[in-house]
Amino acid sequence: MTTELHLRALFDAEAFAEEQARLGLVWTLVGFASDIPLENDWFRTLLGGRSVFIQRFPEGLRGFENRCAHRSYPLRTTERGNGPILCGFHHWRYDSEGRAAGIPNCQDAFGTTSRELGKSLHRLDVACCGDLVFARFVGKAESLADFLGPAFGVLELLCAAMGGGERVTVPARTNWRLNAWIGLDDYHLAAVHSNSLETATSYLRRSELGYHRFGMHSAFL
């Protein structure tokens, strides 16, 4: 990503959309496997600025863009639920691979069977690290383990110790990157969140902070 795009994305809508599209090709945390424990459980989220959903099948977790291959109607219209992939607009039904497996009057309308028509959903790459579900739009061959590097094992252990994740949503009228940057100063947590950390009388000492880099990733502890 060029520096120019990196900066323009802070205030320019077209640059932001381009940035989001590129980020959609990178492994991104989208939810928790524990949120969809049963067969056909699903949750909806955003990836690269586009609506997607993750669903549990007997074969495992699968992810798709939330758009019917027929008329682009959203397949999931709530945040989570349970049920087969059945479009509420014209009743097209899809299997666990995202292929159109049941199209009403298909032979009469298209002169062939649902399978032979060859329509399918835009599928995502999906992988888990402990309870954490990551996804990306298909493109790169890099595995999630390779992408996370040393962090993969650390996150697995944290998930096992914590017994699952917790989703917190905080609406903010700002670019996502500014929200991330503001927490990188050593004194931000102690100054702004002193009640949570019980540091109202003093800032944290350097010996109490750790900022670790490994590959393209970092951890602030």
Side-chain angles (χ1 to χ4, degrees), residues 152-180:
F152 191 94
V154 174
L155 290 172
E156 268 194 322
L157 289 173
L158 285 173
C159 286
M162 297 173 66
E166 180 179 351
R167 189 184 304 273
V168 177
T169 302
V170 182
R173 292 179 61 83
T174 182
N175 183 279
W176 69 271
R177 194 185 300 111
L178 296 178
N179 243 15

Side-chain angles (χ1 to χ4, degrees), residues 6-7 10 175-186 188:
H6 175 78
L7 295 175
L10 293 173
N175 183 279
W176 69 271
R177 194 185 300 111
L178 296 178
N179 243 15
W181 279 347
I182 200 170
L184 295 179
D185 293 313
D186 292 350
H188 172 81

Side-chain angles (χ1 to χ4, degrees), residues 137-209:
F137 288 105
V138 177
K140 298 182 179 180
E142 183 182 36
S143 70
L144 177 62
D146 288 340
F147 173 74
L148 291 176
F152 191 94
V154 174
L155 290 172
E156 268 194 322
L157 289 173
L158 285 173
C159 286
M162 297 173 66
E166 180 179 351
R167 189 184 304 273
V168 177
T169 302
V170 182
R173 292 179 61 83
T174 182
N175 183 279
W176 69 271
R177 194 185 300 111
L178 296 178
N179 243 15
W181 279 347
I182 200 170
L184 295 179
D185 293 313
D186 292 350
Y187 40 76
H188 172 81
L189 295 176
V192 180
H193 305 287
S194 57
N195 290 335
S196 299
L197 298 176
E198 299 179 356
T199 58
T201 58
S202 64
Y203 290 100
L204 297 176
R205 296 185 298 275
R206 169 61 64 177
S207 60
E208 297 174 301
L209 297 168

Side-chain angles (χ1 to χ4, degrees), residues 100-153:
I103 300 174
N105 298 330
C106 189
Q107 189 70 48
D108 184 46
F110 301 105
T112 186
T113 65
S114 299
R115 294 287 189 186
E116 292 173 337
L117 189 62
K119 295 292 186 178
S120 60
L121 303 178
H122 191 173
R123 186 167 168 177
L124 313 177
D125 288 331
V126 177
C128 291
C129 176
D131 191 42
L132 307 178
V133 181
F134 289 79
R136 67 181 177 191
F137 288 105
V138 177
K140 298 182 179 180
E142 183 182 36
S143 70
L144 177 62
D146 288 340
F147 173 74
L148 291 176
F152 191 94

